[in-house]
Amino acid sequence: MSRSRRLQRVMPAAVLAAIVLADLLVGRGQSVIGLLTMPPLLAATALGRRATIGYGLLGFTAAVLIGLYDDQYSDARVTAQTIRLLGITVATALAVAACTLRLRRETRLAELRAEAAATEAVLATAESLQLSLLGDPPQVAPLESTVRYLPASRHAQVGGDWYDAFTLPEGTTMLVIGDVAGHDAPAAATMAQVRGMLRAIAQATGGSPATVLDTLDQVLTDLGLHTLVTVVVAAVDRDADGAVLRWSNAGHPPPLLARAGGGVELLARTPERVLGVAPGAHRTDHELPLLPGDTLLLYTDGLVERRGAPLDDGFAWLAGAWEATGGEPLDRRCDELLAELGGRVDDDVALLAVRLPTAVPAQPGAR
């Protein structure tokens, strides 16, 4: 118990004793009995209901006895003494009521703290489980890469968001960001399956993102995995001048491209269907050159979606926030981006950011 807490607990008794002593010292001609309303009020601020009632009874008893000692029950003084005793009674009742409210408030605060601690523990567990499903942060040297995952505060469960990056035998770097519908264990299990299948398909079919998505969509149908999946698959082929980016988007928020010389661009193209809706639908590869120092940010919808706000507002915020951190290291840019969300999001957020180094060695056989 802290020193201030101990002082609060002994204060009512000390005040009661001081008032009695003061009355005895001032003599029978004077009376300070009215001050005996103080002990129960002080007890109400630090002690329980029983102690508050006890100090009220002690104050009332002391007032009665001191009144006898001070001859306060004569015809001329009995009315004033009665009022003093009534005041102590009322003060005790008010003190008990205040004490009850304080104890209820303290109990509620303790419950809220316990709930907050439990929620934080569940969120931490969910985040750990999700990260274990995602595996170690992918490394795709010589590209600089950073990943982040932030679970939704209102779900506290594993979910379907994922990121991935890997290099094909011929040297193409594949970048993936995706989201399986749902926030539960089945969604997480499906995410792990889809992630593994996408890797295998990319290894077998080569570096065309559209082909990877076409094949994955058909495989999901053949296996009877009836779920909706949004995903962006991008391929980076390095050359002497920088790199070539090819990507295909199945209903996912568009990647963000930040140029080394300044300026950001959402890689939005004609929307194409999510996976799991119409297998066999034709998907398109898009292509543009990348220069040394350019940065590509892939993300899930929890980063830009806000309740009651248009999605375009989220995209505008993302572009502005990312551009504002242009001179900082990649991992710090991602941290500051998530920090602007205030730590609480309505949906899971997964980030994958990659940057071309300022000097990019051409890969063998690059076109």
Side-chain angles (χ1 to χ4, degrees):
M1 184 185 299
S2 66
R3 183 176 180 180
S4 61
R5 184 66 174 172
R6 289 195 298 268
L7 182 63
Q8 283 182 316
R9 296 181 71 87
V10 302
M11 184 65 72
V15 169
L16 177 63
I19 293 171
V20 172
L21 180 61
D23 190 270
L24 295 177
L25 291 176
V26 298
R28 293 187 175 185
Q30 304 293 329
S31 176
V32 294
I33 297 175
L35 296 177
L36 288 171
T37 56
M38 294 176 59
L41 294 174
L42 288 173
T45 65
L47 304 177
R49 292 182 60 188
R50 290 184 179 181
T52 301
I53 294 172
Y55 276 107
L57 292 175
L58 285 175
F60 186 88
T61 302
V64 171
L65 295 177
I66 292 175
L68 293 172
Y69 173 77
D70 288 341
D71 194 23
Q72 296 294 320
Y73 296 101
S74 63
D75 291 341
R77 299 180 177 180
V78 67
T79 301
Q81 177 65 5
T82 302
I83 293 175
R84 294 189 191 103
L85 295 177
L86 180 61
I88 295 172
T89 303
V90 172
T92 300
L94 293 175
V96 172
C99 179
T100 301
L101 292 176
R102 176 181 63 83
L103 292 175
R104 288 178 180 174
R105 183 173 63 252
E106 290 177 353
T107 300
R108 182 55 182 161
L109 287 174
E111 291 174 351
L112 291 174
R113 291 191 188 100
E115 290 175 3
T119 300
E120 289 180 3
V122 172
L123 283 171
T125 300
E127 184 174 4
S128 297
L129 288 173
Q130 191 78 23
L131 291 175
S132 68
L133 289 173
L134 294 172
D136 295 331
Q139 300 296 325
V140 284
L143 302 181
E144 180 186 354
S145 64
T146 296
V147 294
R148 292 291 186 271
Y149 175 77
L150 179 65
S153 55
R154 66 189 179 97
H155 293 301
Q157 298 177 9
V158 290
D161 292 36
W162 91 92
Y163 50 72
D164 201 4
F166 51 93
T167 302
L168 300 181
E170 64 271 20
T172 298
T173 299
M174 303 299 294
L175 309 173
V176 183
I177 194 80
D179 186 2
V180 174
H183 291 90
D184 50 24
T190 301
M191 176 272 288
Q193 289 178 283
V194 173
R195 182 172 181 265
M197 287 188 291
L198 192 151
R199 271 201 173 213
I201 291 169
Q203 297 283 348
T205 61
S208 168
T211 300
V212 171
L213 289 177
D214 284 340
T215 307
L216 178 59
D217 204 5
Q218 188 61 53
V219 170
L220 293 177
T221 300
D222 294 343
L223 293 177
L225 294 177
H226 302 296
T227 187
L228 300 180
V229 183
T230 69
V231 60
V232 171
V233 177
V236 178
D237 291 303
R238 302 186 302 277
D239 57 32
D241 297 325
V244 174
L245 171 68
R246 287 175 293 144
W247 79 97
S248 187
N249 188 339
H252 201 79
L256 182 76
L257 176 62
R259 293 294 188 180
V264 297
E265 174 189 359
L266 279 174
L267 301 184
R269 300 296 185 268
T270 302
E272 295 182 347
R273 291 182 178 178
V274 303
L275 304 185
V277 174
H282 177 69
R283 301 188 184 279
T284 308
D285 276 334
H286 309 284
E287 183 175 307
L288 55 75
L290 298 178
L291 299 176
D294 287 350
T295 301
L296 185 68
L297 176 66
L298 308 177
Y299 55 94
T300 54
D301 55 5
L303 183 65
V304 293
E305 287 187 346
R306 305 288 183 273
R307 290 184 183 180
L311 191 55
D312 286 344
D313 289 353
F315 291 141
W317 164 81
L318 174 60
W322 189 260
E323 191 170 19
T325 60
E328 299 183 359
L330 198 55
D331 56 350
R332 188 177 300 173
R333 295 181 77 176
C334 290
D335 289 338
E336 291 188 6
L337 190 65
L338 294 180
E340 289 207 22
L341 300 177
R344 299 185 65 84
V345 289
D346 294 328
D347 199 359
D348 300 342
V349 176
L351 299 180
L352 168 61
V354 295
R355 175 187 288 156
L356 269 69
T358 53
V360 183
Q363 63 198 44
R367 57 188 180 84

